[in-house]
Amino acid sequence: MNAADLGLPVDVPSTALFTDQYELTMLQAALRGGTADRRSVFEVFTRRLPEGRRYGVVAGTGRVLDAVENFRFDAGVLGFLREHGIVDEPTLAWLAEYRFGGDIWGYPEGEVYFPGSPILRVEGSFAECVLLETVILSILNHDSAIAAAASRMSSAAGGRRLIEMGARRTHELAAVASARAAYVGGFDSTSDLAAGFRYGIPTVGTSAHAFTLLHDTERDAFRAQVESLGRGTTLLVDTYDVAEAVRTAVEVAGPELGAVRIDSGDLLLVAHRVRQQLDELGARDTRIIVTSDLDEYAIASLAAAPVDAYGVGTQLVTGSGHPTGSMVYKLVARAESADPRAPLQPVAKKSLGGKMSIGGRKWAARRQGADGTAEAEVVGTGPVPAELAGRQLLVELVKGGEIVGREPLDAARERHIAARAGLPMSATQLSRGEPVIPTEYL
């Protein structure tokens, strides 16, 4: 099941108002000026990765497709625009018939990207493409930032399981998107039931300290949980005294106890002590789950600890210090007239500083070395060199307004694992560094 089956979880009748007003004022001026129908190409890219990051992760593509499909100006939306005088009547009439009828190509979800990578290419009339700028950037910037953080945490975890637990640390709708992006980036499950419902992500959860505090004794709390959820449950053991809680947990559940969770203290030290105690009590198969404000650095520091799984919240859903991918949506080519036969002309704004853009409709390919490891991200506007023809990165997502690139979420997750594995080994280092491969322009 995907979001298209359920309807998008938004608080307005469509995704059409997830946009900045200037998209509509540009549309009105273009309609009046006779340029709205000019064939145009917009591209999404980032000029730089967040400081110290070595690669980015494309996430949110599936949500972009849902948003484009649901971008409709119904009576309620049009009434709002009319009431507030945002656009004139001819523009309202045009919006009432709006359906995106162009083409969209992009890096498939889960793929990695670098500065200058044409992550998404939107083609159609200026009018139909310009309206999508804000909602596309909103989704890709957020989800890609979360997926990049998740990928770093996944690398640091070294194969140990990861649980997304950030719902209470962000907006309720952002929490669902974050869980989805985290799953693409390598997390195994989420505590957020809405994410499980909408996207089929495995969900987990047992109890908090409040459940222990509700009962007269810790033993009573453990007994109630085990009787309800079975011996395979996870018992939270740091409400009072950890050693006493572990002893009580094994006495109540027996050596078949599924797991214990530690949510405070010196996690490295406590995990070693708990592992030794569990083994001495015969609970050798009982797993240890740690939580408590973890990020990729904390996870890496626990590599030598006897930990089986990590629960991550705040740092994950805020992009571990980088909550946006800093992506932009720029017009890179347009026709000289509304004639469908008019050739495309490269365009780009001239800017000082770090805001330079490169005009032209772009393709991208990843050059590999003899061992199959990526050597460079190659971006060009002319013919694709023969040696790169089979390594092109953009895939067709929308053709003539019809969605053609929707896929299961697990496909994006598996793609990311493969894409990350194809990068040089230094890609997974947590120390600050430049992008792991350069971007070359042809």
Side-chain angles (χ1 to χ4, degrees):
M1 182 178 293
N2 59 46
D5 299 322
L6 301 170
L8 289 172
V10 297
D11 293 326
V12 294
S14 77
T15 53
L17 289 186
F18 289 152
T19 191
D20 290 308
Q21 182 167 326
Y22 82 162
E23 317 289 10
L24 298 186
T25 56
M26 282 191 288
L27 169 66
Q28 176 175 310
L31 287 171
R32 181 170 296 183
T35 54
D37 291 331
R38 286 189 177 186
R39 190 158 56 101
S40 300
V41 180
F42 287 82
E43 287 176 353
V44 175
F45 62 94
T46 183
R47 297 183 176 96
R48 64 190 66 83
L49 297 178
E51 184 180 358
R53 294 287 173 88
R54 297 170 185 263
Y55 62 92
V57 181
V58 177
T61 309
R63 295 207 309 120
V64 166
L65 297 181
D66 292 339
V68 170
E69 193 170 56
N70 205 46
F71 203 92
R72 303 285 186 266
F73 292 83
D74 59 24
V77 171
L78 293 170
F80 166 78
L81 298 176
R82 177 179 290 108
E83 178 184 354
H84 292 273
I86 293 172
V87 291
D88 60 19
E89 286 299 325
T91 305
L92 288 171
W94 189 93
L95 291 173
E97 302 300 322
Y98 179 83
R99 299 290 185 275
F100 179 73
D103 302 328
I104 299 178
W105 291 71
Y107 280 38
E109 191 158 19
E111 183 58 84
V112 296
Y113 69 87
F114 300 92
S117 296
I119 296 164
L120 201 73
R121 191 175 71 218
V122 183
E123 305 182 33
S125 71
F126 175 84
E128 64 183 338
C129 294
V130 74
L131 292 181
L132 299 177
E133 175 182 3
T134 302
V135 70
I136 285 176
L137 288 179
S138 176
I139 293 171
L140 291 180
N141 268 314
H142 174 269
D143 289 22
S144 296
I146 306 306
S151 180
R152 286 163 60 85
M153 294 174 189
S154 175
S155 294
R160 295 172 177 177
R161 298 188 71 79
L162 289 161
I163 307 163
E164 185 280 315
M165 304 172 61
R168 64 192 63 189
R169 296 291 186 257
T170 189
H171 186 279
E172 65 272 18
L173 298 183
V176 182
S178 295
R180 184 187 182 281
Y183 189 68
V184 170
F187 272 59
D188 300 284
S189 56
T190 178
S191 65
D192 192 294
L193 290 177
F197 177 68
R198 290 173 180 142
Y199 299 118
I201 302 170
T203 60
V204 296
T206 52
S207 66
H209 293 102
F211 184 75
T212 301
L213 296 170
L214 169 69
H215 293 80
D216 295 335
T217 68
E218 195 168 45
R219 181 179 296 272
D220 290 341
F222 289 172
R223 183 180 296 112
Q225 185 172 327
V226 169
E227 288 177 354
S228 173
L229 301 177
R231 297 177 186 273
T233 192
T234 299
L235 296 177
L236 181 59
V237 294
D238 72 330
T239 305
Y240 304 117
D241 179 83
V242 173
E244 181 60 30
V246 171
R247 186 178 303 109
T248 301
V250 176
E251 288 176 358
V252 170
E256 299 85 7
L257 174 62
V260 295
R261 178 162 74 95
I262 305 166
D263 188 51
S264 60
D266 184 335
L267 296 179
L268 177 63
L269 175 63
V270 176
H272 275 288
R273 288 177 175 174
V274 168
R275 181 73 270 161
Q276 180 179 356
Q277 186 180 10
L278 287 170
D279 291 347
E280 291 172 349
L281 293 170
R284 295 183 177 276
D285 294 328
T286 299
R287 295 171 294 114
I288 297 176
I289 301 171
V290 296
T291 54
S292 184
D293 292 327
L294 299 177
D295 61 11
E296 60 265 49
Y297 302 103
I299 290 170
S301 73
L302 292 169
V307 171
D308 298 283
Y310 306 94
V312 190
T314 303
Q315 291 301 317
L316 176 62
V317 300
T318 56
S320 195
H322 297 289
T324 175
S326 298
M327 297 176 188
V328 294
Y329 184 98
K330 295 298 181 182
L331 180 67
V332 297
R334 52 86 174 165
E336 293 182 346
S337 71
D339 186 338
R341 297 167 297 179
L344 288 171
Q345 301 294 326
V347 294
K349 79 170 187 176
K350 294 181 180 180
S351 177
L352 299 176
K355 286 195 171 186
M356 185 181 73
S357 300
I358 298 175
R361 181 181 185 272
K362 300 176 191 67
W363 53 264
R366 191 161 298 146
R367 192 174 68 239
Q368 296 178 340
D371 62 353
T373 301
E375 286 186 340
E377 193 88 338
V378 184
V379 178
T381 58
V384 180
E387 66 273 17
L388 295 175
R391 303 190 187 281
Q392 293 190 70
L393 293 165
L394 279 78
V395 300
E396 196 167 27
L397 300 171
V398 178
K399 183 176 183 179
E402 297 296 323
I403 307 296
V404 297
R406 189 173 276 127
E407 62 181 3
L409 190 58
D410 279 328
R413 174 183 170 84
E414 292 166 7
R415 181 180 295 113
H416 177 62
I417 294 171
R420 189 175 64 192
L423 297 176
M425 291 182 63
S426 58
T428 58
Q429 291 180 337
L430 296 181
S431 58
R432 291 183 179 274
E434 296 299 313
V436 71
I437 60 174
T439 302
E440 300 177 357
Y441 293 96
L442 296 182

